[in-house]
Amino acid sequence: MMSDLPFTFELDAPGFRPSHYDNHIRRTLSAMRGQYLDQAAYEALLAEGDAPLYEVYELNRPHVAGELLHGISIVHPGKVGEEYYMTKGHFHTVLETAEIYYCLHGQGAMVMETPEGEWAVETLVPGRVLYVPPRWAHRSVNTGDEDLITFFAYPGHAGHDYGTIEQQGFRKLLVERAGSPAIIDNPRWAR
Ligand code: PAN
Ligand code: ZN
């Protein structure tokens, strides 16, 4: 088998867009129907326009064990009601696969949980590395007023299971209370 050549790319401040990438994915408000706690605030915001919530720059690698899928995730600042802009979040289809995140810019948090009902919220600040162990679903949340930018890498065969989270969301939500992020129970969550 012919081997690939090593490659490099740059992540320059302030935008941290990779100098080389293969896919650019943009998620807007309409992709998040049913995911925000305050449905009325969601509908009101959507009526004003389908706002961009987050973007992902991916580098193409084969989706097989041994490879590392990697790229840049950018969650824009904003709120739906009192709930911060966030990614859809997912389990990996192959549950026993981990992921590593490195925060480059902004202020935020990763909301995580296991199928067994454990949960965790870790703050993301520039320079901080977050290790998401196997089995932990993960969602990035922007709690600041600038883009939250992270570099991520995960195993090529991991796959994405969005359906489980779409059904009732994460166990915990991140909302703004008195100007600061607060972790609250998700009333829709009932596993
Ligand atoms: C990341 C995420 C990215 C977007 O690459 O896919 O931050 O979030 P959603 O996939 O939940 O929309 C990752 O965790 N990959 O496995
Ligand atoms: Zn992931």
Side-chain angles (χ1 to χ4, degrees):
M1 202 177 104
M2 240 169 63
S3 68
D4 288 314
L5 293 174
F7 64 90
T8 63
F9 57 90
E10 316 304 322
L11 301 172
D12 292 330
F16 296 100
R17 270 68 175 169
S19 56
H20 163 79
Y21 61 87
D22 298 299
N23 305 316
H24 180 201
I25 299 152
R26 291 186 188 83
R27 293 256 185 273
T28 58
L29 202 53
S30 58
M32 296 291 280
R33 183 170 292 281
Q35 295 305 304
Y36 284 98
L37 181 61
D38 187 339
Q39 297 285 332
Y42 174 86
E43 295 300 341
L45 201 57
L46 190 58
E48 290 173 22
D50 197 7
L53 299 190
Y54 64 100
E55 303 176 51
V56 183
Y57 291 89
E58 291 176 336
L59 289 100
N60 271 348
R61 294 300 307 170
H63 291 201
V64 297
E67 289 282 350
L68 289 172
L69 301 180
H70 60 288
I72 292 290
S73 165
I74 302 174
V75 185
H76 299 305
K79 280 178 292 172
V80 176
E82 57 181 12
E83 196 174 1
Y84 299 104
Y85 280 5
M86 60 194 183
T87 60
K88 281 175 175 251
H90 55 263
F91 286 96
H92 291 163
T93 312
V94 178
L95 261 184
E96 303 298 337
T97 53
E99 182 153 352
I100 211 150
Y101 279 86
Y102 176 55
C103 183
L104 295 161
H105 184 84
Q107 300 285 324
M110 193 72 77
V111 176
M112 294 165 281
E113 68 183 41
T114 65
E116 290 74 34
E118 297 164 277
W119 65 273
V121 176
E122 290 292 343
T123 307
L124 295 171
V125 293
R128 181 168 292 170
V129 175
L130 167 67
Y131 187 76
V132 181
R135 305 186 70 77
W136 286 79
H138 40 285
R139 158 182 284 167
S140 1
V141 182
N142 186 341
T143 60
D145 48 21
E146 295 179 24
D147 282 346
L148 173 68
I149 307 178
T150 52
F151 172 83
F152 61 82
Y154 61 98
H157 65 305
H160 292 116
D161 162 21
Y162 290 102
T164 305
I165 295 300
E166 270 165 15
Q167 279 167 32
Q168 52 186 21
F170 279 76
R171 186 176 178 143
K172 299 290 174 181
L173 305 177
L174 265 187
V175 297
E176 186 176 275
R177 292 281 160 85
S180 300
I183 301 168
I184 63 165
D185 288 333
N186 175 4
R188 281 203 306 138
W189 196 94
R191 270 191 288 270

